[in-house]
Amino acid sequence: MAIRVRGHVREGRGHAFDLRRTAFGCTLLAVLVCGAGLTVRAVLRSAERHPAVAVVVAALLVAGGVVLLRRRRSRRAAADAATAALEAAYEVVDAALEEQTAAEPVAATEELRRPLPVDYAALDPYEFEEAVAGLCRRDGCRDAEVVGGAGDLGADVVATLPDGRRLVVQCKRYTADHKVGSQDLQRFGGTCYAVHGAEAAVVVTTGEFTGPALEYAEQCGILCVDLDGLTAWSEGSAAPPWHAGAAVEPGGTMAAEPVTG
């Protein structure tokens, strides 16, 4: 009896074992597994350091899964579920932030409370008057206002002191080489009391005063505040000119006691 022998095997029915291909596939699989493991490990470490962020990410993933699973059944129900998940995540984050803030109180220091220095010489005349009025309001003269302008007769800022006296201030925004002279003080002295009814008269400048101007101010009871005195007043290291502890030194320069507390 003759036995029929198959002439050939149909191509594509199977593949011969290939060692190189198998090794490459195993290596690729190992790399993918290791990469996934490292990714999961990094995510877990990040979650330990930032639990609030991890909660938000997890909530977003859950919300996304809910939306995908229920999209065909009920889009509205899925959206409500996602919204609820997000709100819960936000509540967790808010609670975590509140606990962190309560656990790390920030102590207020004198440096933090101290106002930033102001370059008064860089201000224009109107800005300078507003800055001086602001200092008066800060130190208790709530009604301090700028009245300077044409026909002001020497009064740039008027206010009522905390003790009830009327304050009249003249502002001289002069450069360092332009000192306030005796004529400036004489003009102010001739109007601050008789015209404006001042009970406390102050001249503030971004420059300095001449000797004769300080002598006249001492005779008339006018307090003179130069740039150094203005800076100390602004930064809180000296009392305001009208302070009860302030005194006029020989020569007319206002010497205010440092502000304590």
Side-chain angles (χ1 to χ4, degrees):
M1 177 183 291
I3 301 175
R4 299 178 62 183
V5 179
R6 301 179 65 179
H8 63 278
V9 179
R10 183 180 298 176
E11 295 181 359
R13 294 288 299 274
H15 298 281
F17 177 76
D18 189 338
L19 179 61
R20 184 172 60 182
R21 181 181 298 173
T22 304
F24 178 77
C26 291
T27 302
L28 180 60
L29 180 61
V31 171
L32 292 176
V33 172
C34 292
L38 292 176
T39 302
V40 172
R41 183 178 181 184
V43 171
L44 292 177
R45 287 186 175 180
S46 178
E48 292 178 357
R49 292 193 299 267
H50 307 287
V53 176
V55 171
V56 172
V57 173
L60 292 175
L61 292 176
V62 172
V66 172
V67 171
L68 291 176
L69 291 176
R70 297 188 178 182
R71 184 176 180 181
R72 294 182 179 179
R73 297 181 180 180
S74 177
R75 294 184 178 181
R76 185 173 182 180
D80 292 341
T83 302
L86 289 176
E87 291 179 354
Y90 291 145
E91 290 179 359
V92 173
V93 173
D94 292 340
L97 293 176
E98 290 179 0
E99 292 179 359
Q100 183 177 3
T101 303
E104 299 177 359
V106 179
T109 62
E110 292 297 330
E111 292 295 330
L112 291 177
R113 292 196 297 264
R114 182 174 298 175
L116 295 176
V118 178
D119 186 3
Y120 291 101
L123 303 178
D124 63 39
Y126 181 75
E127 291 174 341
F128 180 50
E129 294 172 0
E130 286 289 350
V132 173
L135 289 176
C136 295
R137 286 190 290 268
R138 184 199 69 182
D139 292 337
C141 304
R142 299 182 181 274
D143 62 345
E145 61 178 344
V146 175
V147 296
D152 58 18
L153 297 178
D156 294 319
V157 177
V158 296
T160 303
L161 296 178
D163 59 9
R165 292 180 297 158
R166 179 172 176 78
L167 172 68
V168 178
V169 183
Q170 185 177 67
C171 302
K172 294 291 187 182
R173 195 192 65 84
Y174 286 171
T175 58
D177 57 349
H178 186 183
K179 296 183 178 181
V180 180
S182 61
Q183 292 183 354
D184 297 317
L185 269 295
Q186 290 173 17
R187 285 191 291 269
F188 180 62
T191 60
C192 65
Y193 297 112
V195 176
H196 301 294
E199 296 174 285
V202 180
V203 177
V204 182
T205 181
T206 53
E208 298 177 350
F209 295 88
T210 64
L214 293 176
E215 292 178 0
Y216 179 84
E218 182 181 14
Q219 296 173 1
C220 297
I222 300 174
L223 292 170
C224 297
V225 183
D226 58 13
L227 181 58
D228 291 339
L230 174 62
T231 302
W233 176 22
S234 174
E235 294 179 354
S237 59
W242 60 85
H243 192 270
V248 180
E249 294 180 345
T253 301
M254 184 273 296
E257 295 181 354
V259 177
T260 59

